[in-house]
Amino acid sequence: MDLFDEAFQRQLQALSLVARRVASGAMRAERRSKKIGAGTSFADYRTYAPGDDFRRIDWNAYGRLGRLLLRLYEEEEDLSVYILLDTSRSMALGAPPKLDYARQLAAALAYISLVRLDRVHLMAASAEVQVSLRGQRGRQRLLSIFGFLRGLHARGTTDLRAATAKLMAGHKRRGLAILITDLYDPRGFEAGIDELRLRKLETHVIELTCAEDDAPELHGDLELVDAETGQTRAATVTPALLRRYRAEYAARSLRIASYCANKHVGHVRLDTRTPLKDALLQMLRRGALLS
Amino acid sequence: MSAFGLGHAALAAIVAAASIAVIALYFFKLRRRRVLVASLPLWERLLAPRPSARLFAALRRLLSLLLSLGIALALGAALFDPQPGWLAREPRSTLILIDTGRSMSATDVAPTRLAQAQRLARALVDDRRGADELLVASFDRAPTARTTMTRDDPVLSRAIAALRATGERTDLTAALRFARAALSERPRPELVLISDGNAELDEQEARALARHGVSVRHLLVGRRSHNLAVAQLAARRYPRDRGLAEVFVRVHNGSPHDQNAVLTLLTDGAPTEQERVRLPAGAAVSRVYADVLRSQRTLQARVALADGSADDLPQDDVATLDLPAHAPTRVLCVTRGNRYLEAALLLDEHLLVDTVTPDRYTDARGYDVAIFDAFAPPSPAATASLYLGAAPLPAEGELERPYFEQIESSHPLLRMAALRDVNIARARRLVLADGDRALARAADGSPLMVIGERDGQPFLGLAFDLRASDLPLRVAFPVWLLHAIDYLAGRSDHADVRGTSADAAGPANAASLAPRALPFPRTPPARPAPGQPWPAEPWRWLVAAATAVLCVEWWSYHRRWTV
């Protein structure tokens, strides 16, 4: 089944209509920047100096004040959006697999950014494999983004810090970093997030969960196998143990949310059981990620 | 508690094997299913071993094992077929002996007495418990075992269902002798005799059963005797006119009331004689019919109730007699001349006699009988032969003035022939060969009259010449001579009789069907004890318990209570 079939693309178009943002930049993207430049939005006045473009003289102000004043406008600047996908083996779990959900999510976010004329950088990483698709701008780049995402597979273990460090090397522009992951990093989920924060990127974390993560339907004598490392552990899963697991998982989720809140990192938990369209609309309405 | 199922050793082996299999399967069941999880460290924190949890988990698994072993032991105990104290008893060996004689076809009990006997026998099979064994046998003239001593109820039932009444009289003495042999050295032997009692019983044999510790029950079937029967039917030819026969019929009234009956004689299916007779209760009436043509093939005697109703045993209302065919006998008489012999041969007009002198004798082909009067042919004749004084046997000297001392009077040859006072001047001392038989001997045992075979042909020989005796002067001579010719030619006056009771030695009360209690303890037909708890055999409870425990174990396993 093609993740990016016609139905999915129609969903993207519908979502882009919902997402309305202001952009500014040297390439006339639809985001505002704090620079004063040749945009169309009025920013301030300054005294006319010989050599200034006299078309920008505010004659109304001269009539009132008797002074020659220039109108200043905000600079429109394109935004760099860094979308990082966790492609470790743990992302293969779930029905649908979390990686498929993440790919569709990344495609949707990339599409919205492209529509806004943002510059999209896609990166996929596990501890062993890191690939990227850089500098995609304009709607015409959507197909190449689809192609890149189709080629991703769940492989390797999770090392968010190393992966982000490697992928972000060479990227100096500030922008928006969106980390799509299930945060099963044995070294701790904080490392990868901190790596993005330290680069002065506006960081958002989309934590993916599935039924197998928070409410596994397990019973009896089992051999638990770690999806990433392959380590095994014999266990007898009883209803009591399951209750304890769910409590432990909930505590972990709370820790993640608290950490992100403390570090001013945007955090959204998406369950792969939630239809993607509903999840995106929820994020758009909240406005935290895409504003 | 006692066990009546399999032997102890076999059961112990079965239970041990089942336990080993259960334990092996239990460990097989413990193989764990592999499940992928996103983060094992998350589970590791929860799975840190706690002593109490480990112990509890071990106890849960032990409970599962114990449940499985409990199922195996319950099934093994069921195979053991235990009997609680209130049911325990030594197994019984029972012989069910069912009368299948003539009178069991009577219809005074619907549909027949034999059917009632079969019902009673099946009830006995249904009542069999535990290790009790049964043997089904039937008896009429002789006993016949239908099964072995077995606990297989379907086999017993099939044997009972296959029984059919015969037309034979019953010999209960032989049946009791069989019962004694079948039940010898059996635990708690019991004989259940199912019969209408219409049989002769040797009380000595009945007492022998008791001495051997066999308890006997007689289940009586039948309720009345309402029957007429043709007790005897016989026919014989007249000696002087073989073309005619005399027929004897005797009918018997077996009911306790006088009966008016119609007696009919049929020849070749056509009634030739019919009369109404009054039959007193329990009495017989005889009739003799003279001058019945022997050219007929069958004679049949029928008796029926004058009012047209049927009696309880229609099979004995008819007796049929097949008359042998009668054709002239060709006789070759080789003699130098013997008026007595020739005159005797003239007495039977159905003899075609050719007479030749010894010097003109060649062979006897084409004749039924050859008579050699004081002449020994060079070789045995190719037909039955009568040697008068020249029997083809070696002789060791002579006998002087012998006389008939030992005579086999019952032989057909010697019927109605008085030979004891025959005077004989001299005779040859014959030496018998293998297969030869002396019908009459002298005082010293020397054979005077011999029968045998030579070259496949029968012969009859006298050890003396007729002329050396006064036998030709005796009345016995022509009687004996004609009997000898009939015997050698294979002619018989005996007419085969077909009928249920018509034979020469038929009993005087052939028609009686009266049920008779035999001198054994009499019991009513067996019925199951009312109110007997179900099931009487504990093994069924054990199987039910094993099934219930199996369901509990299955449920607890799948609910993860015991794993």
Side-chain angles (χ1 to χ4, degrees):
Chain A
M1 187 186 75
D2 186 10
L3 291 174
F4 311 116
D5 55 9
E6 280 192 28
F8 176 76
Q9 292 177 34
R10 280 197 293 275
Q11 279 189 8
L12 292 186
Q13 289 175 355
L15 284 168
S16 68
L17 294 177
V18 177
R20 295 174 179 270
R21 293 292 181 265
V22 176
S24 64
M27 298 293 287
R28 297 190 64 78
E30 296 187 357
R31 285 185 181 276
R32 293 180 181 167
S33 77
K34 292 186 179 175
K35 290 184 183 176
I36 301 298
T40 57
S41 300
F42 175 79
D44 202 351
Y45 287 105
R46 75 173 171 82
T47 306
Y48 174 82
D52 290 332
D53 188 354
F54 58 86
R55 290 176 294 179
R56 291 164 59 189
I57 294 173
D58 189 342
W59 294 109
N60 291 329
Y62 177 73
R64 286 197 305 270
L65 300 174
R67 289 166 58 189
L68 291 171
L69 296 170
L70 284 176
R71 279 197 287 271
L72 299 173
Y73 297 90
E74 287 181 345
E75 182 70 34
E76 289 179 346
E77 185 178 61
D78 59 343
L79 180 68
S80 285
V81 178
Y82 301 93
I83 302 175
L84 290 91
L85 274 79
D86 178 358
T87 55
S88 63
R89 281 199 213 95
S90 62
M91 292 290 286
L93 298 180
K98 284 179 285 187
L99 183 60
D100 289 355
Y101 198 90
R103 286 192 283 178
Q104 288 183 323
L105 185 60
L109 294 173
Y111 179 73
I112 293 171
S113 300
L114 290 176
V115 166
R116 293 180 181 178
L117 301 177
D118 289 334
R119 194 175 295 275
V120 176
H121 308 269
L122 281 166
M123 301 170 191
S126 62
E128 291 83 6
V129 178
Q130 298 90 32
V131 291
S132 63
L133 180 67
R134 300 171 190 270
Q136 304 299 303
R137 193 167 184 273
R139 291 190 198 198
Q140 67 278 9
R141 308 307 302 173
L142 185 62
L143 290 178
S144 60
I145 289 174
F146 285 164
F148 172 78
L149 291 172
R150 285 195 187 98
L152 298 179
H153 300 284
R155 216 176 293 171
T157 59
T158 307
D159 188 349
L160 293 174
R161 194 204 64 78
T164 53
K166 195 164 183 182
L167 285 169
M168 295 307 294
H171 285 273
K172 304 300 180 187
R173 293 189 75 172
R174 294 185 183 184
L176 177 66
I178 303 172
L179 179 59
I180 305 174
T181 175
D182 55 7
L183 290 174
Y184 286 122
D185 192 336
R187 297 164 196 77
F189 61 88
E190 300 89 343
I193 297 173
D194 289 344
E195 184 67 29
L196 293 170
R197 283 179 53 243
L198 290 174
R199 293 176 184 275
K200 309 293 185 192
L201 293 170
E202 184 183 341
T203 306
H204 293 268
V205 174
I206 300 178
E207 180 192 359
L208 295 182
T209 67
C210 62
E212 284 78 357
D213 288 340
D214 63 359
E217 294 288 335
L218 301 176
H219 299 284
D221 296 324
L222 304 174
E223 190 175 25
L224 304 179
V225 181
D226 190 298
E228 294 189 5
T229 63
Q231 289 177 338
T232 61
R233 176 72 153 88
T236 299
V237 179
T238 61
L241 182 62
L242 277 180
R243 284 194 294 272
R244 286 168 52 207
Y245 173 84
R246 291 192 191 108
E248 181 69 22
Y249 191 85
R252 172 182 174 272
S253 300
L254 189 60
R255 283 198 302 275
I256 293 170
S258 299
Y259 178 82
C260 292
N262 290 338
K263 302 298 181 181
H264 302 287
V265 171
H267 174 249
V268 176
R269 180 177 295 112
L270 292 182
D271 193 322
T272 56
R273 288 166 286 187
T274 304
L276 182 67
K277 178 182 175 184
D278 296 339
L280 287 168
L281 286 174
Q282 176 189 349
M283 286 195 301
L284 288 172
R285 288 195 187 108
R286 284 174 58 185
L289 179 61
L290 299 173
S291 62
Chain B
M1 185 78 72
S2 57
F4 300 105
L6 299 177
H8 290 76
L11 277 166
I14 290 172
V15 171
S19 300
I20 291 170
V22 166
I23 293 171
L25 289 173
Y26 173 79
F27 283 105
F28 182 74
K29 192 169 74 173
L30 287 178
R31 199 168 62 181
R32 297 172 184 272
R33 181 164 52 99
R34 289 171 65 89
V35 175
L36 278 179
V37 294
S39 171
L40 190 59
L42 191 59
W43 288 93
E44 291 278 359
R45 285 193 287 274
L46 303 172
L47 295 173
R50 291 181 295 166
S52 60
R54 203 183 315 164
L55 175 64
F56 188 58
L59 286 176
R60 276 208 305 271
R61 282 194 282 276
L62 181 61
L63 177 61
S64 175
L65 177 62
L66 291 176
L67 284 175
S68 301
L69 285 173
I71 294 166
L73 287 172
L75 289 174
L79 282 174
F80 202 56
D81 193 13
Q83 299 287 337
W86 59 274
L87 275 182
R89 53 177 172 78
E90 191 184 6
R92 185 182 296 147
S93 305
T94 304
L95 168 58
I96 302 176
L97 198 53
I98 303 173
D99 187 349
T100 55
R102 177 187 62 90
S103 61
M104 294 298 283
S105 297
T107 57
D108 57 332
V109 178
T112 62
R113 290 182 181 181
L114 179 62
Q116 184 190 21
Q118 287 170 314
R119 283 197 294 272
L120 293 173
R122 273 195 291 273
L124 292 171
V125 173
D126 292 341
D127 277 346
R128 194 194 65 77
R129 286 289 178 267
D132 292 349
E133 291 186 320
L134 302 179
L135 186 154
V136 172
S138 64
F139 71 98
D140 44 32
R141 209 181 268 276
T144 306
R146 300 293 176 174
T147 68
T148 57
M149 195 65 79
T150 179
R151 284 178 240 160
D152 194 334
D153 292 351
V155 167
L156 295 166
S157 298
R158 281 197 295 272
I160 293 168
L163 293 175
R164 297 290 179 267
T166 67
E168 305 287 338
R169 289 185 293 124
T170 48
D171 184 353
L172 184 55
T173 302
L176 293 182
R177 211 173 292 133
F178 163 79
R180 184 157 51 90
L183 292 172
S184 66
E185 297 181 12
R186 285 271 174 188
R188 298 183 67 200
E190 180 188 38
L191 168 64
V192 178
L193 178 65
I194 307 177
S195 168
D196 57 8
N198 213 299
E200 296 301 320
L201 172 64
D202 182 351
E203 299 209 11
Q204 197 172 358
E205 192 58 45
R207 284 194 292 274
L209 270 176
R211 282 198 302 273
H212 280 77
V214 178
S215 67
V216 182
R217 281 193 289 158
H218 175 210
L219 304 184
L220 188 64
V221 296
R223 58 184 181 89
R224 70 175 186 184
S225 176
H226 175 63
N227 188 40
L228 304 178
V230 176
Q232 278 183 287
L233 174 65
R236 62 180 181 184
R237 64 178 177 177
Y238 295 109
R240 292 179 61 110
D241 186 352
R242 290 171 176 269
L244 295 174
E246 187 177 67
V247 177
F248 172 81
V249 179
R250 186 163 76 179
V251 293
H252 182 250
N253 177 13
S255 74
H257 309 289
D258 295 353
Q259 299 288 349
N260 292 318
V262 175
L263 175 60
T264 307
L265 184 68
L266 301 94
T267 53
D268 288 346
T272 53
E273 302 283 348
Q274 187 176 75
E275 65 175 298
R276 291 175 71 92
V277 294
R278 177 78 177 165
L279 297 171
V285 168
S286 304
R287 290 289 186 273
V288 176
Y289 300 95
D291 298 333
V292 177
L293 286 173
R294 272 193 62 99
S295 60
Q296 313 302 320
R297 293 299 177 90
T298 58
L299 282 173
Q300 193 174 75
R302 286 187 194 168
V303 64
L305 290 165
D307 60 5
S309 61
D311 61 10
D312 287 339
L313 190 63
Q315 288 92 325
D316 61 1
D317 296 347
V318 178
T320 304
L321 191 153
D322 295 317
L323 297 170
H326 180 67
T329 305
R330 293 162 300 165
V331 179
L332 174 65
C333 186
V334 183
T335 180
R336 283 188 284 275
N338 188 329
R339 289 181 182 276
Y340 298 100
L341 176 60
E342 292 163 6
L345 290 174
L346 291 173
L347 290 175
D348 188 347
E349 63 188 21
H350 289 84
L351 295 180
L352 299 176
V353 183
D354 290 334
T355 305
V356 296
T357 55
D359 58 334
R360 299 184 73 172
Y361 169 75
T362 54
D363 61 55
R365 267 193 286 271
Y367 291 95
D368 297 318
V369 179
I371 302 176
F372 300 99
D373 178 27
F375 167 68
S379 61
T383 187
S385 304
L386 173 61
Y387 295 92
L388 302 174
L393 280 82
E396 291 177 345
E398 286 193 346
L399 295 168
E400 289 293 329
R401 305 184 71 79
Y403 56 91
F404 288 100
E405 173 64 20
Q406 303 162 29
I407 302 173
E408 198 173 315
S409 304
S410 60
H411 196 279
L413 272 171
L414 300 174
R415 243 179 335 133
M416 295 184 289
L419 300 175
R420 281 194 186 276
D421 55 350
V422 171
N423 295 306
I424 305 170
R426 72 190 74 82
R428 294 166 64 222
R429 195 187 297 272
L430 299 176
V431 177
L432 300 181
D434 287 341
D436 295 342
R437 177 175 158 197
L439 293 183
R441 294 178 183 270
D444 66 350
S446 301
L448 295 176
M449 186 184 301
V450 177
I451 58 174
E453 272 192 16
R454 291 293 181 272
D455 292 348
Q457 296 294 338
F459 78 89
L460 167 64
L462 290 178
F464 56 92
D465 190 336
L466 286 179
R467 299 168 188 77
S469 72
D470 64 355
L471 178 59
L473 304 177
R474 304 286 180 163
V475 173
F477 176 67
V479 175
W480 171 83
L481 179 66
L482 296 177
H483 281 166
I485 293 172
D486 287 342
Y487 174 80
L488 291 170
R491 291 191 323 188
S492 172
D493 277 339
H494 177 71
D496 291 326
V497 178
R498 287 180 282 120
T500 56
S501 63
D503 56 63
N509 59 344
S512 175
L513 302 177
R516 184 169 69 97
L518 296 170
F520 300 121
R522 179 179 167 183
T523 60
R527 287 187 179 82
Q532 195 170 8
W534 180 94
E537 299 179 42
W539 69 267
R540 298 177 188 178
W541 285 112
L542 288 169
V543 171
T547 306
V549 172
L550 181 66
C551 294
V552 168
E553 197 276 339
W554 179 88
W555 176 258
S556 66
Y557 175 79
H558 284 280
R559 298 297 293 175
R560 304 296 182 261
W561 295 343
T562 55
V563 292

